[in-house]
Structure formats: C-alpha cells, structure tokens
Amino acid sequence: LELPQILNSRLYTPRDYNRTVFWEFEDIQMLLGNNMPIFGGGEYPAISLKLRDMKEPINVLTGIDCWLDNLICNVPELAMCWHLDGFIQGYELYKTEEIPDLENCKFDPVVI
C-alpha cells in the first residue's frame, strides 16, 4: 500500500488527518503527522510549544524530538512550558540551536 493510498483508504477519512503532510525526499516517501503547535506574532514570528511535567526531567529523546520538529518546520524558538498536575508553573524560551546543549538532553546534532 503506497502512502497516498493510506489517505484515501476507507479506514481513514480526511478529517482524521487534518495535520498530516506527505513529503518526498529524493526516493524516500514519508507520511508525517504534526503534534507540534506553532504560534507567532509580534516579537516572535514563529515559536513552537512543548508542555512538560515538572516531575519528569527533559531527556535526550525529548530534546531530539523538539530539535527535529523545529528544524523540519523552520521554527527558530521553542517555548517549554512546565506544569505540575496540569497547572502551568512557568516556561523557558530556547533557540532551536540551543536545544542540543540543554542539561540532561545533550546530543550531537551532526550525529543525528
């Protein structure tokens, strides 16, 4: 089953995939879903948002996920909002290029 056929399948209606994109990179085809809200305006033309539980530290997988999302979508900054039991406790802004150097999630972007 080719990726474009998945979108036309009777199992999935277009409304189920309001945030999907079909990309082709040379000979590779990808069906991507987007769970990253991007906001913009005023001083911040584009900024992504990630909600994180204060009880769980950022790990390398979270860092790579945020960094790749921002890189692919050409978003220059990330707002990391911290919550405790669903109540926002604060937030921190990071430039996309700073994400690989965050504490507890350091990774080498060249390797990725």
Side-chain angles (χ1 to χ4, degrees), residues 54-90:
M54 288 186 78
K55 296 175 187 174
E56 300 176 21
I58 297 174
N59 60 37
V60 69
L61 294 177
T62 301
I64 291 171
D65 182 43
C66 293
W67 178 73
L68 281 174
D69 280 346
N70 276 17
L71 207 59
I72 290 170
C73 294
N74 197 28
V75 176
E77 291 185 271
L78 166 70
M80 185 78 70
C81 292
W82 303 99
H83 72 87
L84 189 59
D85 297 324
F87 295 97
I88 299 295
Q89 303 297 309

Side-chain angles (χ1 to χ4, degrees), residues 17-61:
Y17 286 96
N18 287 331
R19 296 188 302 177
T20 57
V21 177
F22 178 73
W23 280 9
E24 289 186 53
F25 297 106
E26 296 180 6
D27 62 341
I28 300 172
Q29 298 176 345
M30 301 173 80
L31 179 64
L32 304 172
N34 185 355
N35 62 353
M36 180 179 74
I38 300 173
F39 301 93
E43 187 179 340
Y44 302 98
I47 189 166
S48 64
L49 173 67
K50 184 76 170 179
L51 296 174
R52 294 293 301 166
D53 191 333
M54 288 186 78
K55 296 175 187 174
E56 300 176 21
I58 297 174
N59 60 37
V60 69
L61 294 177

